[in-house]
Amino acid sequence: MDEATEAPPAPALSIELHRQFVKKHESRPQDFAYWMTEHMHVTGLYYGVACSHLLGEPDLLDRASLLQRIHACRNADGGYAGNVGHDSHILHTYSALQVLAMTGEPTAVFPASDESCSGNSLSSLVEYVKRLQRPDGSFAGDEFGEVDTRFVYAALGSLALVERLDAVDTDAAAAYVLACMNADGGFGLRPGAESHAGQTFCCIAALILCGALHRINVDLLGDWLAERQSAVNGGLNGRPEKQSDSCYTWWVGATLRLIGKADRLNVPALADFNLRLQTPKGGFSAHPGENPDLFHTHFALAGLAALGPYENSNNSSVSALAALPRWSCLFCMPPATLPPAVQAQFGGL
């Protein structure tokens, strides 16, 4: 590309604009988009709280309101629903526990003297997760039985955050995850399913929580993940022949960091790709020219933070990310908000 057609430098990270974008979701109108996502409200709260930390303002959203909303979604079976009146699901349970940890109140929902109230005790939460494990080591997402490797990670992550990984059969869980590994090194949502970067992250994180990462070929997986980066725009995709998407900055980048292969990425090109997906209204879009959303804003920022720190870089796109905080690639949270025992065991991840 000659000087006449060379693309202009990528914009700086628009932290204040992104804060405003996240904040407006706190009292969003009940429009069509609201009702289309009403069933996953708790996970949306997680995206908002995580973005607040990523943008350097942990108290951006009202803490009392957040806790009230989270507590209202706790069901009598011990799990959390995506919203009031919905059934419990392991994905929303994990999101709820992440929010509680990031708001500094992870034990408030589990008072030691309240074991008689099944919906509010720690034991009921642990029993809820335990009931979801199947004989083959997999986990169902809810009482209706759908199985997916995302659910294995969410179940193990939930138990790790309350320091009760001992409650389930982690050897069986690891064996199930390993059965989902493909010849290309990636992982699918169940045995025999196509490799996908999102599922691969969940499987690698689950293996780490089970103490079984040593059972995979990290070089082969590193090759497959590195191939997700476009030589044209620097972005990442989730599987071969698919379009680059900002959310895979997390799913691919964090996984490479977890297996010690982050140096396989062209980070300046990836930073440039993401910074160009910032929109004038704040937030990140999935692809150029599209509207932003909280999901892609969260995973773009989290992925970029996971690949940091960025001090002393001579590349303008990379140096623009210096304000991003340290980020746990295992739990997708600030490491300092993890319980002390979890920090001691997994803090470096």
Side-chain angles (χ1 to χ4, degrees):
M1 182 178 293
D2 59 37
E3 289 188 358
T5 59
E6 187 175 351
L13 183 63
S14 303
I15 290 179
E16 185 53 40
L17 198 60
H18 298 322
R19 287 173 179 165
Q20 295 170 19
F21 175 76
V22 173
K23 181 69 175 177
K24 77 174 185 179
H25 284 77
E26 193 170 36
S27 56
R28 60 183 291 185
Q30 293 191 2
D31 54 11
F32 178 76
Y34 173 88
W35 289 111
M36 287 299 291
T37 58
E38 181 266 348
H39 63 288
M40 53 180 292
H41 179 67
V42 165
T43 297
L45 292 177
Y46 159 70
Y47 295 150
V49 175
C51 281
S52 300
H53 282 269
L54 286 159
L55 294 167
E57 192 172 342
D59 298 323
L60 179 65
L61 304 179
D62 183 75
R63 183 173 179 274
S65 176
L66 284 167
L67 292 174
Q68 181 181 35
R69 295 186 198 187
I70 292 294
H71 294 335
C73 294
R74 183 85 189 275
N75 286 328
D77 61 6
Y80 289 83
N83 210 333
V84 177
H86 289 259
D87 296 316
S88 298
H89 195 285
I90 193 60
L91 294 180
H92 303 306
T93 298
Y94 187 37
S95 292
L97 294 172
Q98 288 171 303
V99 171
L100 291 171
M102 285 190 286
T103 53
E105 190 108 346
T107 59
V109 75
F110 307 123
S113 61
D114 201 22
E115 290 293 315
S116 62
C117 182
S118 64
N120 288 329
S121 68
L122 174 58
S123 62
S124 72
L125 171 81
V126 173
E127 287 302 312
Y128 166 74
V129 179
K130 188 175 179 179
R131 287 195 301 272
L132 296 176
Q133 189 168 30
R134 299 300 182 246
D136 64 357
S138 65
F139 283 82
D142 55 27
E143 63 177 309
F144 303 105
E146 180 187 8
V147 171
D148 185 320
T149 45
R150 292 177 301 159
F151 308 154
V152 180
Y153 166 60
L156 296 173
S158 296
L159 292 175
L161 288 178
V162 297
E163 301 173 45
R164 286 301 314 275
L165 274 171
D166 62 301
V168 294
D169 188 341
T170 55
D171 289 339
Y176 178 78
V177 169
L178 289 167
C180 298
M181 183 170 59
N182 293 316
D184 57 16
F187 293 77
L189 61 87
R190 59 180 64 93
E194 177 187 13
S195 295
H196 187 280
Q199 307 293 152
T200 297
F201 166 81
C202 293
C203 289
I204 292 304
L207 289 174
I208 291 171
L209 291 169
C210 293
L213 184 63
H214 63 282
R215 298 176 65 182
I216 71 161
N217 184 335
V218 294
D219 292 320
L220 180 63
L221 176 56
D223 289 342
W224 186 81
L225 290 168
E227 289 169 0
R228 306 278 62 76
Q229 186 161 32
S230 168
V232 176
N233 61 32
L236 296 162
N237 64 21
R239 49 200 169 119
E241 304 303 322
K242 294 297 182 178
Q243 188 175 4
S244 298
D245 182 319
S246 58
C247 75
Y248 293 109
T249 307
W250 169 259
W251 302 119
V252 176
T255 309
L256 282 167
R257 178 69 86 185
L258 287 173
I259 65 172
K261 300 291 182 180
D263 59 351
R264 298 295 306 276
L265 285 179
N266 181 341
V267 174
L270 180 60
D272 186 270
F273 171 79
N274 280 277
L275 290 170
R276 294 182 191 279
L277 293 176
Q278 298 176 103
T279 77
K281 62 181 74 174
F284 288 73
S285 62
H287 311 113
E290 296 181 353
N291 286 322
D293 60 72
L294 203 54
F295 173 91
H296 286 92
T297 299
H298 165 255
F299 283 117
L301 289 169
L304 292 170
L307 292 167
Y310 298 102
E311 293 91 349
N312 304 317
S313 173
N314 293 322
N315 180 279
S316 60
S317 293
V318 171
S319 62
L321 306 176
L324 291 174
R326 289 186 61 239
W327 204 249
S328 169
C329 293
L330 186 57
F331 295 98
C332 202
M333 293 167 52
T337 64
L338 294 168
V342 180
Q343 288 186 49
Q345 185 174 4
F346 301 110
L349 300 171

